[in-house]
Amino acid sequence: MAGLPRVVAGIVGWISAFGGLLLDKLVALGDIALFGLRTIRWLTTRRPLQGTLLPSFYQIGVLSLPVVALTGTFIGMVLAEQSYAQFRFFRLETRLGGVINVSLLRELGPVLAATMLAGRVGSAMAAELGTMRVTEQIDALASMGANPIHYLVVPRFLGCLLLIPTLTVMADFMGVLGGAFYSIERLSIDSHHYFENSRQVVRVFDLFQGAFKSLFFGAAIALISCHRGFHCDPGAEGVGRAATSAFVFSFVMILVLDLLLGIVLNTVYYYLWPEGTHLI
């Protein structure tokens, strides 16, 4: 860039750096996709070991339930508190139940459960596998004839994929309870109108939409976290970077998938019910 004015050289340098960063992310995304294909191949060709499956299910599902339930409850109450003033201004506070419950079932429940899973389980998986990579335990497994993806990744992938719908339903249920409790007890909204408006607005498709999206969230969290752990840099600093990168990458992917799946599912919804849902 010799001979270029300083401003032009700065712009060219910024574009070059941004292009390099974008290219690195695309390469990483392609590598994770190949990692996912290898995981699915092992999943479909050899049955997972029961001794590795049950501990993963316990760690991912059972131990995540309390934190998901607690955060779901508070999200429902926060939604009620933040929405009440606006609805009261238009004298529509009895409609609060429909808005809270639809928001929880469609968006907040699945995204909240996935975020909790990425933070609590995804980071731990990346750190655990990263430590095994640094201490050469993964290489030792391979040298003994065991495939590391079949032994380490498949159980974690299945745990995230199969248990995240349950966590999502728990977040939805506790959020609905928390929102109803706060609206009726704290904001003094009539319980009959609160639940009647919810019944008129909420459809079974809303619950299905959240659970369906959560399957993709769980698969993405497992693959990204295990991939980060498998490709961990040497040393304690590398393990820390792998855990942080797993959460950040998983969270961004959750939002991207939420947008794309939301577009597809909303198209299906309005195809099935052209009149849509009238919250007000």
Side-chain angles (χ1 to χ4, degrees):
M1 291 184 285
L4 290 175
R6 180 177 298 179
V7 176
V8 176
I11 293 173
V12 171
W14 184 84
I15 293 174
S16 175
F18 180 74
L21 180 64
L22 188 63
L23 190 61
D24 289 342
K25 296 300 178 188
L26 287 176
V27 170
L29 200 60
D31 202 29
I32 291 172
L34 293 175
F35 188 78
L37 290 176
R38 289 201 296 271
T39 302
I40 292 172
R41 183 172 68 86
W42 278 104
L43 176 64
T44 53
T45 55
R46 185 182 294 182
R47 192 168 57 182
L49 301 173
Q50 188 176 0
T52 60
L53 206 57
L54 292 180
S56 296
F57 275 39
Y58 178 76
Q59 178 72 23
I60 294 167
V62 177
L63 297 184
S64 297
L65 274 177
V67 66
V68 168
L70 184 65
T71 50
T73 305
F74 278 100
I75 284 295
M77 292 193 285
V78 168
L79 268 179
E81 175 63 27
Q82 294 300 326
S83 307
Y84 177 70
Q86 303 300 321
F87 278 75
R88 188 184 181 190
F89 179 78
F90 295 104
R91 299 183 182 282
L92 293 171
E93 54 267 36
T94 56
R95 300 282 182 177
L96 203 56
V99 175
I100 291 173
N101 295 336
V102 168
S103 302
L104 281 167
L105 296 182
R106 286 187 182 181
E107 295 296 333
L108 291 176
V111 171
L112 175 71
T115 305
M116 289 297 106
L117 194 69
R120 204 195 75 79
V121 174
S123 299
M125 287 195 300
E128 185 182 5
L129 295 180
T131 303
M132 294 180 72
R133 169 63 72 191
V134 170
T135 55
E136 300 182 349
Q137 294 180 57
I138 293 178
D139 298 329
L141 273 175
S143 67
M144 289 188 294
N147 185 277
I149 291 183
H150 175 254
Y151 191 78
L152 297 173
V153 179
V154 168
R156 290 168 172 81
F157 177 77
L158 276 178
C160 288
L161 182 70
L162 298 179
L163 295 180
I164 193 172
T166 305
L167 297 175
T168 299
V169 172
M170 173 59 77
D172 293 342
F173 177 70
M174 295 306 294
V176 168
L177 281 186
F181 174 80
Y182 195 87
S183 300
I184 295 169
E185 298 296 329
R186 170 73 177 82
L187 303 176
S188 303
I189 296 176
D190 182 76
S191 59
H192 171 74
H193 290 98
Y194 184 92
F195 288 114
E196 178 60 22
N197 285 321
S198 298
R199 187 191 65 78
Q200 292 174 0
V201 171
V202 176
R203 297 178 187 270
V204 176
F205 188 84
D206 297 323
L207 182 61
F208 164 78
Q209 181 170 340
F212 182 73
K213 286 196 292 189
S214 71
L215 291 171
F216 292 85
F217 297 162
I221 291 167
L223 293 177
I224 291 170
S225 301
C226 291
H227 178 270
R228 296 285 98 175
F230 263 57
H231 296 83
C232 174
D233 293 331
E237 188 179 349
V239 174
R241 275 203 304 269
T244 304
S245 171
F247 175 72
V248 173
F249 209 158
S250 297
F251 186 60
V252 172
M253 190 54 65
I254 288 167
L255 297 180
V256 171
L257 287 173
D258 188 42
L259 173 63
L260 298 177
L261 292 170
I263 293 171
V264 173
L265 291 170
N266 281 340
T267 304
V268 174
Y269 179 84
Y270 285 110
Y271 176 78
L272 295 175
W273 294 281
E275 73 281 5
T277 299
H278 302 286
L279 297 175
I280 305 300

